[in-house]
Amino acid sequence: MKLSRKNGLRASAIGALVVSGALVLSACGSDDNTEPTKDGGKTSAAASNIKCDGAKGQLLAAGSSAQKNAMDLWVKNFQAACSGVEINYQAIGSGGGITKFNQGQVAFAGSDSALKDEEVAESQKICKGGKGINLPMVGGPIAIGYKLDGVDNLVLDASTLAKIFDNKITKWNDPAIAKLNPGAKLPDSSIQAFHRSDESGTTQNLGKYLSTAAPADWKHDPKSKSWPAQGGQAANGSSGVATAVKDAEGSIGYFELSYATANKISTVSINTGAAAPVAATTENASKAIAAAKVKGTGSDLALSLDYATKAEGAYPLILVTYQIACDKGNKAETLPTLKAFLNYTAGEEGQKVLSDAGYAPLPAEIATKVREIVPTLS
């Protein structure tokens, strides 16, 4: 049975809360409904429980465009609660964020993939007496968005996706696509496959999924943040790929669900081998993320994800985006703001705003571990 999700992506996000334990949606007050905070700032009703804890001045950060829409919400709420604080997050891609972090240009980096061993070693030059650690902050599905007139419920599997993005399947009416979509009116037209032009953890997670679920068809390095295949068309950032897909008939690309939702882009359901194809929703992504295991040690909470899951209703093409910070050796002038902001984003107040934006809140067990570590940053 094909799952319908056009016009239903936002509504399905509510189900993510089942996985995230006690996180519940609350109503937001208007911007004019303010009250003083403990440290003299003003906060809206929506931000009334945010603790500023000495946060002040400017905090610079950069990295993942996957989490940009979540970061926009977090920054807006935190700055509303904490007077005089400015958080500047540049969505330049995971690779660029890690580079800036290891050059000491930002207080933390956003990344859709955990630090590599060599990146951890490099971070020790900046984190005096410590090192960079991975703190999971938000999860969600990587949606495969497409624009194909007359086809509203496209189903693909890992093998077919691998061949499309590897330029081995180039026509929409290819027998492999037709077999997965009986009855669909597939045109005899070329597929325009879009990928990221910048270094991206989203690209890396797509590669991990394809190499795990379709190893015979995706022979490229699954650890690469740069697009490894030949052919296709490139666009910068998730927003660039989403815009390209929205504008081009016969196109397909990958980006976080929030970009599909915002641009009203149809998304692919994935045939995982379960009883029914699985739609890209936060609820379905949460079912897969809930099975994640911590593979990091000590304060590092890097996760291992199961990209080959066949569990009913579990969407396998997922990512968890991290905030990367020093466990020790953070700059004294930005440390209070860094800790206060991460305390908010990992806390119930920060996590509960994610679902309506197309993201999956952290599973309760993982969120608890993050909340234990953030106060120990020094």
Side-chain angles (χ1 to χ4, degrees):
M1 179 179 67
K2 296 178 183 178
L3 301 182
S4 175
R5 66 226 167 273
K6 192 174 183 181
N7 302 323
L9 292 172
R10 186 174 300 277
S12 64
I14 303 301
L17 301 178
V18 175
V19 177
S20 54
L23 304 182
V24 294
L25 293 173
S26 64
C28 294
S30 71
D31 290 340
D32 294 329
N33 183 15
T34 60
E35 56 188 54
T37 62
K38 292 180 180 180
D39 46 1
K42 291 286 185 178
T43 176
S44 69
S48 60
N49 294 322
I50 295 176
K51 296 180 180 179
C52 299
D53 291 334
K56 60 182 180 179
Q58 186 180 61
L59 189 70
L60 300 179
S64 163
S65 64
Q67 66 173 349
K68 179 185 183 301
N69 293 331
M71 186 64 71
D72 287 347
L73 281 172
W74 285 333
V75 169
K76 177 182 177 181
N77 291 344
F78 192 78
Q79 290 182 166
C82 303
S83 178
V85 173
E86 179 188 352
I87 297 175
N88 186 337
Y89 182 82
Q90 294 180 303
I92 60 174
S94 299
I98 291 172
T99 296
K100 281 184 173 290
F101 176 74
N102 279 340
Q103 291 176 346
Q105 297 180 33
V106 293
F108 71 90
S111 178
D112 309 335
S113 57
L115 291 169
K116 299 177 182 178
D117 290 343
E118 58 268 28
E119 292 169 337
V120 173
E122 188 177 353
S123 74
Q124 292 175 317
K125 302 173 184 177
I126 298 299
C127 304
K128 302 300 183 182
K131 62 181 181 180
I133 58 172
N134 303 284
L135 298 173
M137 204 59 64
V138 60
I142 300 174
I144 303 297
Y146 70 97
K147 184 176 183 180
L148 195 61
D149 286 347
V151 181
D152 295 330
N153 299 293
L154 186 66
V155 176
L156 298 173
D157 58 15
S159 174
T160 307
L161 282 169
K163 292 174 182 176
I164 288 172
F165 283 115
D166 206 18
N167 207 35
K168 301 291 173 49
I169 290 178
T170 60
K171 293 284 189 178
W172 278 112
N173 64 349
D174 187 276
I177 301 177
K179 184 178 180 180
L180 291 164
N181 296 273
K185 296 180 180 179
L186 299 168
D188 181 20
S189 58
S190 296
I191 297 173
Q192 297 190 62
F194 286 91
H195 58 264
R196 292 278 292 271
S197 61
D198 53 324
E199 286 199 346
S200 163
T202 310
T203 294
Q204 187 184 59
N205 279 276
L206 174 64
K208 288 179 179 179
Y209 163 70
L210 293 175
S211 64
T212 301
D217 300 304
W218 192 256
K219 301 291 188 180
H220 305 288
D221 179 8
K223 296 181 180 180
S224 177
K225 291 188 178 76
S226 299
W227 184 249
Q230 299 296 316
Q233 301 179 61
N236 187 64
S238 291
S239 60
V241 176
T243 298
V245 171
K246 181 181 180 181
D247 292 344
E249 173 62 21
S251 60
I252 191 169
Y254 59 94
F255 32 78
E256 294 66 44
L257 180 60
S258 61
Y259 290 93
T261 303
N263 289 281
K264 298 181 180 180
I265 297 172
S266 296
T267 59
V268 168
S269 289
I270 295 181
N271 183 334
T272 64
V278 186
T281 69
T282 53
E283 178 183 9
N284 294 341
S286 291
K287 293 177 182 177
I289 294 171
K293 305 295 183 184
V294 175
K295 64 179 180 180
T297 58
S299 297
D300 186 85
L301 296 180
L303 300 177
S304 176
L305 303 175
D306 182 8
Y307 298 99
T309 181
K310 295 182 180 180
E312 296 299 329
Y315 185 81
L317 184 44
I318 51 176
L319 61 77
V320 171
T321 186
Y322 301 90
Q323 310 302 25
I324 293 170
C326 298
D327 57 354
K328 299 177 182 178
N330 291 284
K331 294 179 180 178
E333 61 271 25
T334 57
L335 181 59
T337 306
L338 171 67
K339 292 171 69 172
F341 182 65
L342 296 185
N343 272 324
Y344 159 60
T345 60
E348 290 188 11
E349 198 74 16
Q351 290 289 302
K352 73 185 179 185
V353 303
L354 295 175
S355 292
D356 279 346
Y359 294 95
L362 295 174
E365 181 180 355
I366 294 173
T368 297
K369 292 179 180 179
V370 177
R371 293 167 194 163
E372 292 172 350
I373 291 172
V374 170
T376 70
L377 301 181
S378 64

